[in-house]
Amino acid sequence: MEGRYSAAGASRGVMIVADVVAGILVLWIILYVLKANPSNDVAHWIHNAADWLSAWGHDLFTPSEGWLRTLLNYGIPALVYLLIGHTLAARLR
């Protein structure tokens, strides 16, 4: 029984991490689209975190529209984190 509960806890932890990472990326997309003040400390922190988390996906697409570029280059990594995190969590369960 102990191993089963450990796996459930690990699974839940993996899902939470994936959700938080994707949430930061989605939050940056929302802040960008709503034209948040880049000088604001919170917006700046979220942008830096989103940049770091999605560094592997930067310039994956380069449309001229800024909102579309942001949606694609941060949204796709968010989806990948969710897909990998939830798939891994399901396997742990």
Side-chain angles (χ1 to χ4, degrees):
M1 275 283 217
E2 183 68 32
R4 181 179 183 181
Y5 290 115
S6 297
S11 172
R12 190 175 18 250
V14 168
M15 282 194 311
I16 289 170
V17 169
D19 291 347
V20 168
V21 168
I24 290 170
L25 293 167
V26 169
L27 186 55
W28 172 245
I29 294 168
I30 292 168
L31 289 174
Y32 181 86
V33 169
L34 296 176
K35 299 183 185 333
N37 178 3
S39 299
N40 178 280
D41 288 341
V42 174
H44 183 70
W45 184 88
I46 292 169
H47 185 208
N48 284 342
D51 273 349
W52 186 79
L53 292 167
S54 66
W56 57 269
H58 282 194
D59 297 329
L60 189 60
F61 296 98
T62 57
S64 59
E65 304 263 344
W67 67 269
L68 183 57
R69 184 174 44 252
T70 299
L71 177 66
L72 293 172
N73 291 323
Y74 291 92
I76 290 172
L79 291 174
V80 169
Y81 283 121
L82 285 174
L83 179 68
I84 290 172
H86 285 256
T87 301
L88 181 59
R91 303 279 281 164
L92 287 172
R93 230 177 297 136

